[in-house]
Amino acid sequence: MSTVKFVLFVLLCFKLTSTFAQQKILFVTSNQHYYGDTNIKTSNHFGEIVVPYDIFTKAGFMIDFVSPEGGAIPIGYINTSDSIQEKYLYDGFFMNKLKNTVTPNEIRTEDYVAIFYSGGGAAMYGVAENKTLQNIAQEIYTNNGIISTICHGSAGIAYLKDKNGKSLYAGRKITGYPDSFEKKEKEYYKTFPFAIDEAIKNNEGVFIYSDKGNDEFYSVDERFVTGQDPSSATKIAEEVIKLINQNFKNKNRIVQKSELEQIRATLIDYIEGTGNGEPERLRRAFHPDFNLYTVAEDTLWIRSGEKYISAIKEGKKTSRIGRIISVDIEKDAAIAKAEIVIPNWRIFTDYFLLLKYEGTWKIVHKSYSWQEIVEKEN
């Protein structure tokens, strides 16, 4: 069998299947680029995606992204002064997920323990009326899963019904971005297909919200976890995890991890372990005899992995920004490439050799080079 190249922008077109490892959560996004038929741009809210994504993945869940049409989705509302948003904006693996969302027809509902509808103005279009997405949510819920939404993402559940045609959340408390907060005099609002709170009420839900806004307001009612606006992202992610742990505590829904995800987890341990001051994560990523190699002043320079780890101070965070560029796997061997940016100093290019033994992928070799960051003159 020939070597299979796992260059990330190609790989993420691959349909994710049940051979992947962790319990999975499905993120629902929109392909809409404009408000209705206007030329006013809209998008999916980046912060409402990455904050829950970060919490879920750190808790051991795998995230798949779906959109009505599949493929690339527009993102916006980006705040690069937010460390979580900055981290994922420069994470090639993550960004390629957003470029290659799957279509509803590719989803196997039995693979998921929760479904999450992200927000942004784009969420008002194409999601709620998609029958396949409605069926996916209904089946996940019927299988004891959780339905969660944030802000305008609550529009996505406007028409959810059970198999008998009755509201899936009749009598349940649901929140989202209230219509009274919208700028109704603006052109964007005139294109909305419906008001979220009215749609929820029309489907027999009990719409609630906080008059304050931006105060982390959220609601948990049975297996519906909903947030009013971006400030609730952390809270609802934590609540979803609590419910999953309760509902699936004694159910064996964990399957074999894909090789790519195992390798990526090892590389992330290296990237984040170094950047966040977590030496134990580095020990988890490295083979005990791991070495680093580079060339300085035309001389080969070798450094032991243990010496590298000893220089990492517990809890001391740095400004390093890392991203995985590519991974190439052949059976129990792999090579990978990553880029590490240290602002106002250097850009490092890392090349890794990884081997799988005793069921675990370890970094056994790293070669690297760097270039200085040249400040532009005003």
Side-chain angles (χ1 to χ4, degrees):
M1 178 179 173
S2 62
T3 300
V4 180
K5 287 263 185 180
F6 284 87
V7 178
L8 293 182
F9 75 88
V10 174
L11 175 71
L12 268 297
C13 293
F14 217 134
K15 179 185 174 184
L16 300 172
T17 71
S18 60
T19 58
F20 279 40
Q22 301 115 307
Q23 293 175 320
K24 299 170 75 174
I25 298 174
L26 184 64
F27 274 41
V28 181
T29 58
S30 171
N31 301 104
Q32 189 78 14
H33 286 260
Y34 298 93
Y35 283 98
D37 295 326
T38 72
N39 60 0
I40 306 171
K41 289 185 178 181
T42 189
S43 58
N44 296 274
H45 196 292
F46 194 60
E48 292 175 3
I49 293 174
V50 299
V51 173
Y53 180 93
D54 186 67
I55 293 170
F56 289 143
T57 54
K58 285 180 177 177
F61 296 93
M62 181 185 291
I63 309 300
D64 290 346
F65 288 89
V66 65
S67 62
E69 300 171 15
I73 60 169
I75 58 171
Y77 313 90
I78 298 172
N79 176 11
T80 54
S81 64
D82 179 271
S83 61
I84 298 297
Q85 293 192 41
E86 182 184 42
K87 168 186 172 181
Y88 286 104
L89 190 62
Y90 294 100
D91 184 327
F93 183 89
F94 171 78
M95 293 302 291
N96 274 287
K97 279 180 172 282
L98 301 188
K99 290 179 183 177
N100 296 282
T101 64
V102 299
T103 63
N105 289 331
E106 295 177 85
I107 296 300
R108 290 164 43 99
T109 55
E110 61 266 33
D111 293 342
Y112 301 94
V113 292
I115 184 170
F116 171 75
Y117 293 77
S118 64
M124 296 294 300
Y125 309 90
V127 177
E129 63 270 31
N130 188 290
K131 295 293 185 181
T132 307
L133 285 175
Q134 291 177 28
N135 290 337
I136 289 170
Q138 181 265 316
E139 289 178 16
I140 290 174
Y141 185 77
T142 300
N143 289 334
N144 208 32
I146 290 86
I147 293 179
S148 182
T149 70
I150 187 170
C151 203
H152 287 87
S154 296
I157 66 171
Y159 308 126
L160 288 191
K161 307 284 186 182
D162 63 19
K163 290 183 178 179
N164 298 316
K166 296 182 179 180
S167 171
L168 206 60
Y169 48 80
R172 303 290 180 195
K173 294 177 181 177
I174 304 292
T175 190
Y177 200 74
D179 195 53
S180 60
F181 282 21
E182 300 286 1
K183 299 176 181 177
K184 298 182 180 180
E185 75 283 0
K186 300 293 184 179
E187 288 301 311
Y188 84 87
Y189 178 79
K190 298 174 184 178
T191 72
F192 278 2
F194 53 80
I196 295 172
D197 40 12
E198 287 302 316
I200 297 299
K201 292 174 185 176
N202 290 340
N203 198 30
E204 301 182 57
V206 179
F207 189 86
I208 61 173
Y209 69 97
S210 166
D211 287 323
K212 293 180 180 179
N214 199 36
D215 59 351
E216 303 181 345
F217 185 81
Y218 69 97
S219 171
V220 179
D221 196 337
E222 201 242 359
R223 286 180 285 120
F224 283 89
V225 181
T226 53
Q228 179 170 316
D229 55 44
S231 68
S232 65
T234 297
K235 296 288 188 181
I236 60 176
E238 292 172 346
E239 293 295 336
V240 167
I241 292 171
K242 288 180 184 178
L243 285 175
I244 291 173
N245 289 338
Q246 292 171 10
N247 292 351
F248 299 100
K249 184 176 181 180
N250 299 315
K251 294 192 177 182
N252 183 19
R253 297 203 42 173
I254 301 178
V255 292
Q256 178 68 35
K257 255 193 176 183
S258 76
E259 301 300 336
L260 176 67
E261 286 295 318
Q262 293 179 57
I263 291 170
R264 180 177 181 271
T266 297
L267 295 172
I268 291 298
D269 277 340
Y270 157 71
I271 292 171
E272 294 189 351
T274 302
N276 296 332
E278 299 173 289
E280 288 309 310
R281 291 186 70 177
L282 294 174
R283 290 191 173 90
R284 188 166 67 200
F286 295 161
H287 183 275
D289 297 326
F290 163 79
N291 287 326
L292 300 84
Y293 299 83
T294 193
V295 174
E297 297 180 353
D298 204 31
T299 300
L300 179 63
W301 189 71
I302 304 173
R303 190 181 188 189
S304 74
E306 191 54 44
K307 188 174 182 179
Y308 178 84
I309 294 173
S310 67
I312 304 300
K313 304 303 180 184
E314 183 73 45
K316 184 177 181 181
K317 296 187 177 183
T318 69
S319 58
R320 295 165 58 100
I321 301 170
R323 67 187 182 101
I324 301 168
I325 297 175
S326 64
V327 178
D328 185 334
I329 309 169
E330 179 65 31
K331 294 184 178 178
D332 55 3
I335 58 173
K337 180 181 180 181
E339 181 183 81
I340 308 295
V341 178
I342 302 180
N344 303 316
W345 188 42
R346 289 176 177 172
I347 300 175
F348 289 83
T349 302
D350 294 343
Y351 295 91
F352 304 93
L353 172 63
L354 300 96
L355 295 174
K356 186 176 184 179
Y357 65 97
E358 297 179 353
T360 304
W361 285 95
K362 297 287 187 181
I363 299 171
V364 299
H365 174 108
K366 186 185 99 170
S367 297
Y368 65 97
S369 63
W370 73 83
Q371 56 182 316
E372 305 292 340
I373 295 177
V374 180
E375 293 293 329
K376 293 182 179 180
E377 296 182 1
N378 293 327

